Amino acid sequence: MSESSNVRILVCINERFHPSKPSCKARGSAELAATLTEGVSARSLRVTVQTLMCFGRCELGVNVRIAPGGRFFHGATKNDVEAIIAAAAAVAVPTAD
């Protein structure tokens, strides 16, 4: 029997259309979410990558959070993928096969 984890990697994909206003999507968050999804899948982790619209910290984006209750990654890029996945894996419920 397998247990599933409730651990999620939350990635902001909010897009602000005014050029002087920063946004996570303009900084590549959709691509980062796709890369995280591929990385989680390749490792067969019981972690879900989920996109959401805003953490309210646009000036610090791309914003990513490990949930529930995990750390934030601000200014995340593809260079942070391994660290983000490792942080999620560290709190994920192990599987029992």
Side-chain angles (χ1 to χ4, degrees):
M1 178 179 182
S2 293
E3 297 178 38
S4 69
S5 173
N6 65 342
V7 174
R8 294 171 290 145
I9 299 173
L10 304 174
V11 182
C12 175
I13 58 164
N14 190 45
E15 181 173 17
R16 298 166 88 188
F17 294 101
H18 194 280
S20 68
K21 303 277 186 180
S23 72
C24 290
K25 188 168 185 177
R27 293 179 175 151
S29 63
E31 294 83 4
L32 180 62
T35 301
L36 287 164
T37 299
E38 291 168 8
V40 165
S41 179
R43 292 164 183 78
S44 300
L45 297 175
R46 297 213 177 254
V47 172
T48 301
V49 178
Q50 182 178 352
T51 58
L52 55 90
M53 288 311 295
C54 195
F55 286 114
R57 304 299 305 262
C58 299
E59 71 281 359
L60 300 176
V62 169
N63 295 298
V64 177
R65 183 173 187 200
I66 307 303
R71 74 175 274 205
F72 271 95
F73 292 83
H74 300 294
T77 68
K78 288 187 178 184
N79 292 333
D80 299 307
V81 166
E82 292 301 322
I84 294 168
I85 291 173
V91 295
V93 174
T95 60
D97 292 323

